[in-house]
């Protein structure tokens, strides 16, 4: 397994719905600084749920590689048993956002904890992972609670698991087929 981790590098939407604590100037910078003293929370004046969408850096898939699977990780805390944060793994393709429902963080998690979502073998738009869907990686975070029970989001990560393309080497027949009979074909598969 060759896993590359990419981090938030732009805020696509929702910056007005969240407050940054700890000094970073943008949501994506706060979630990319590897510091538990920097985090985002839903702005207390926002009633009901609030969401933000963040763009991520990318990784290059060479012609001899393929993306096996992708997952999202989030470092969060929730102060009470009413804690309720969702984190979605997404990709922007063909000028549309597509998201997998990846993490449902529920209950009290007093300390900052890293939650790991499931591996997804296909992109959220239903296609295989490709350079296009990897270049369009996004995450959406949603906080559902109001003042007093707001969760904190410290960091976001997307893991991209790349491997070598599978290959097939034909070992027989080795010469020209001169009759109409069905020849035996043998091969070796490597993945």
């Amino acid at each position: 397994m060759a896993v590359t981790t990419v981090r938030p590098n732009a805020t696509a939407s929702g910056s007005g719905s969240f407050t940054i604590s700890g000094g970073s100037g943008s949501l994506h910078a706060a979630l990319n600084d590897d510091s538990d003293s920097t985090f985002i929370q839903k702005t207390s004046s926002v009633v009901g749920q609030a969401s933000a969408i963040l763009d991520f850096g990318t990784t290059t898939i060479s012609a001899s590689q393929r993306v096996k699977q992708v997952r999202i990780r989030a470092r969060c805390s929730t102060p009470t048993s009413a804690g309720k944060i969702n984190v979605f793994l997404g990709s922007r393709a063909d000028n549309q956002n597509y998201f997998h429902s990846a993490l449902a963080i529920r209950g009290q998690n007093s300390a900052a904890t890293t939650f790991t979502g499931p591996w997804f073998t296909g992109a959220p738009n239903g296609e295989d992972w490709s350079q296009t869907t990897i270049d369009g990686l996004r995450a959406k975070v949603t906080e559902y609670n109001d003042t007093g029970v707001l969760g904190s989001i410290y960091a976001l990560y997307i893991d991209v698991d790349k491997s070598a393309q599978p290959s097939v080497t034909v070992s027989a027949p080795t010469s020209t087929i001169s009759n109409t009979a069905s020849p035996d074909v043998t091969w070796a598969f490597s993945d």
Side-chain angles (χ1 to χ4, degrees):
M1 195 182 305
V3 176
T4 301
T5 300
V6 293
R7 301 298 301 277
N9 68 355
T11 303
S13 68
S15 59
S17 299
F18 287 83
T19 302
I20 302 165
S21 296
S24 292
S26 63
L27 297 184
H28 62 275
L31 300 174
N32 190 7
D33 68 0
D34 292 321
S35 170
D36 283 352
S37 62
T38 308
F39 56 90
I40 67 169
Q41 284 186 322
K42 185 177 88 166
T43 302
S44 59
S45 63
V46 175
V47 177
Q49 76 179 33
S51 296
I53 297 176
L54 299 117
D55 290 328
F56 276 69
T58 190
T59 183
T60 301
I61 301 20
S62 71
S64 64
Q65 293 178 316
R66 65 182 175 103
V67 175
K68 288 174 51 178
Q69 53 195 357
V70 177
R71 71 177 177 195
I72 193 162
R73 293 181 288 131
R75 189 159 176 77
C76 305
S77 66
T78 49
T80 70
S81 61
K84 190 174 181 184
I85 297 172
N86 282 1
V87 181
F88 303 88
L89 170 65
S91 182
R92 184 162 177 80
D94 302 321
N95 293 321
Q96 293 193 36
N97 288 318
Y98 298 90
F99 292 98
H100 284 306
S101 180
L103 288 168
I105 299 158
R106 301 291 186 265
Q108 184 171 3
N109 302 283
S110 309
T113 305
T114 301
F115 297 88
T116 302
W119 286 108
F120 289 100
T121 56
N125 64 353
E127 297 176 7
D128 289 337
W129 287 108
S130 65
Q131 188 66 63
T132 300
T133 52
I134 293 298
D135 289 345
L137 285 173
R138 287 190 151 179
K140 180 169 78 168
V141 295
T142 303
E143 164 63 76
Y144 294 91
N145 288 312
D146 289 322
T147 306
V149 293
L150 294 175
S152 301
I153 305 161
Y154 300 88
L156 291 174
Y157 315 85
I158 294 179
D159 299 323
V160 180
D161 180 10
K162 300 184 280 187
S163 67
Q165 286 279 16
S167 63
V168 174
T169 305
V170 176
S171 54
T174 57
S175 60
T176 304
I177 300 169
S178 59
N179 62 33
T180 58
S182 300
D184 287 335
V185 178
T186 57
W187 66 87
F189 177 76
S190 174
D191 187 4

